[in-house]
Amino acid sequence: MHLLTWLILSLLLSTIECSKYIAKHKGTPGTLTHRVYLKNADNVPISPFHDIPLKVRDGVYNMVVEMPRWSNAKYETSKKEKLNPIIHDSKVYDGVERVRYVHNVFPYHGYMWNYGSIPQTWEDPNFIDPHTGVGGDNDPVDILEIGSKVGYVGEIKEVKILGVIALIDKGETDWKVISIDINDPMAESLNDIGDVNEKMPGLLAASRDFFRNYKVPRGGQYNIFGFEGEWQGREFTENLLEETHGKWQELLNRESKGKIMTENTSNTGSPWHISKKEARAILQSNPPYTPKAAVPPPDSVQHVSFVERTVSEPVCSVVEKEAENACLP
């Protein structure tokens, strides 16, 4: 089956079950009404931002899949809606609000990994990160999963953390954590960022290249990085996640609500804890799931964008003997 066809079919499933969580679709795919809510094993609607634990156990973290590998539809966890469903992001084009699709920045097609967020983390915009010198982007921490299995929107993967890169986007810190599904055949051999370079040569460089350039086709600027673009290892990343988890706890326990919806069904000490009945009412307030009316992506989604690279690759000289020898493995 063609990959794009498989991805479309996976989206057209109203309810997808896994061992602990259930993805429940509402509205019409390809439109502004499409929502993917999460339910727990007791069939209670939950927030993927606030109710799914950061960790499964020591060394194993939860990941909320928002965009499956090679896909273009720009899904993200909503901060503006109660229970934080995963929504098809939108933007105003020529005065009309439309759903967004990610450009294919040559040589990549959509996102090259399963992409999503880490629950119960928050990049606080008021906290000036000492590593980047700027505040957070007001979102959960983003995460890439590099295993062989293509995920689906709303899947909760259990992953091993491998490292992180410090993207600085429009003057905000936007950490990108890299991980692998613990059930992937490669998981046992990948334990830190150096293992990724050894076992999957080229992936880290390609990922950095993507994040530097991916906003240029829509008129954005080239992104920059902290640490001079160097990936940081597992220990640094796990410490970072503990820090952002603490910021999330502060967010969840605020007495006055800001612009981020913090309703949840599992954190009983939070001022924003709600009952199962209230959670079900939020879910039922959405239009029914109508997959037969799904709006396919425009043909332009398959177009390829070419971006001039701002950082050149090292070139080996065949004229000067010393330079030539320096390029040998």
Side-chain angles (χ1 to χ4, degrees), residues 1-14:
M1 182 183 295
H2 190 276
L3 177 59
L4 182 59
T5 304
W6 184 92
L7 290 171
I8 292 173
L9 288 176
S10 69
L11 273 176
L12 298 184
L13 296 175
S14 175

Side-chain angles (χ1 to χ4, degrees), residues 12 20 25 41 53 57 65 92 137 144 159 165 174 176 178 207 245-246 275 278 307 310 312:
L12 298 184
K20 297 180 181 178
H25 290 247
R57 57 184 180 273
V65 178
V92 175
D137 69 351
L144 334 171
V159 301
I165 195 168
D174 187 8
K176 305 293 184 183
I178 193 164
S207 299
H245 180 62
S275 67
E278 290 173 297
V307 175
T310 60
S312 61

Side-chain angles (χ1 to χ4, degrees), residues 73-321:
K74 182 69 173 70
Y75 281 87
E76 64 180 20
T77 300
S78 173
K79 297 180 295 185
K80 299 179 180 179
E81 299 183 21
K82 293 180 179 180
L83 291 184
N84 314 104
I86 301 170
I87 65 173
H88 198 156
D89 191 26
S90 62
K91 188 175 182 180
V92 175
Y93 299 92
D94 300 323
V96 179
E97 186 178 12
R98 296 187 174 91
V99 293
R100 282 181 58 196
Y101 293 89
V102 175
H103 287 81
N104 299 308
V105 180
F106 181 83
Y108 317 116
H109 186 285
Y111 279 18
M112 70 184 80
W113 349 255
N114 293 308
Y115 185 86
S117 61
I118 303 177
Q120 296 189 347
T121 62
W122 179 50
E123 296 190 58
D124 184 352
N126 295 315
F127 173 69
I128 304 303
D129 194 294
H131 304 292
T132 63
V134 294
D137 69 351
N138 205 32
D139 286 332
V141 175
D142 295 327
I143 184 168
L144 334 171
E145 191 279 316
I146 60 176
S148 58
K149 183 180 178 182
V150 177
Y152 58 82
V153 179
E155 181 180 7
I156 306 302
K157 282 182 172 286
E158 297 182 356
V159 301
K160 179 191 294 186
I161 299 300
L162 301 172
V164 68
I165 195 168
L167 176 67
I168 301 174
D169 185 358
K170 296 180 180 177
E172 298 175 333
T173 304
D174 187 8
W175 295 102
K176 305 293 184 183
V177 172
I178 193 164
S179 69
I180 189 164
D181 189 323
I182 61 170
N183 297 309
D184 191 88
M186 290 284 289
E188 288 189 7
S189 61
L190 298 178
N191 297 293
D192 212 327
I193 199 68
D195 298 327
V196 182
N197 259 333
E198 179 183 350
K199 304 294 183 181
M200 298 179 169
L203 178 60
L204 296 181
S207 299
R208 180 176 54 227
D209 176 75
F210 175 89
F211 284 121
R212 187 187 302 278
N213 300 296
Y214 79 115
K215 289 192 174 181
V216 175
R218 65 171 189 259
Q221 300 294 314
Y222 294 95
N223 285 321
I224 60 176
F225 302 95
F227 297 102
E228 298 183 339
E230 293 298 320
W231 290 83
Q232 304 304 299
R234 178 186 57 79
E235 182 178 0
F236 176 94
T237 310
E238 292 190 335
N239 288 335
L240 170 71
L241 294 180
E242 288 302 318
E243 179 181 272
T244 55
H245 180 62
K247 294 297 181 183
W248 167 81
Q249 290 175 320
E250 294 175 10
L251 172 70
L252 196 69
N253 291 301
R254 287 179 178 176
E255 291 294 336
S256 59
K257 182 179 290 188
K259 295 182 179 180
I260 298 179
M261 296 294 103
T262 47
E263 283 78 6
N264 66 89
T265 61
S266 62
N267 302 280
T268 55
S270 165
W272 310 108
H273 178 263
I274 62 174
S275 67
K276 297 177 183 179
K277 182 178 180 181
E278 290 173 297
R280 292 188 176 106
I282 292 170
L283 178 62
Q284 292 307 316
S285 67
N286 288 266
Y289 184 56
T290 52
K292 291 183 179 180
V295 177
D299 292 342
S300 60
V301 170
Q302 297 305 316
H303 293 174
V304 177
S305 298
F306 296 89
V307 175
E308 182 178 359
R309 268 43 180 181
T310 60
V311 179
S312 61
E313 295 297 325
V315 177
C316 299
S317 169
V318 295
V319 178
E320 299 180 18
K321 188 174 182 181

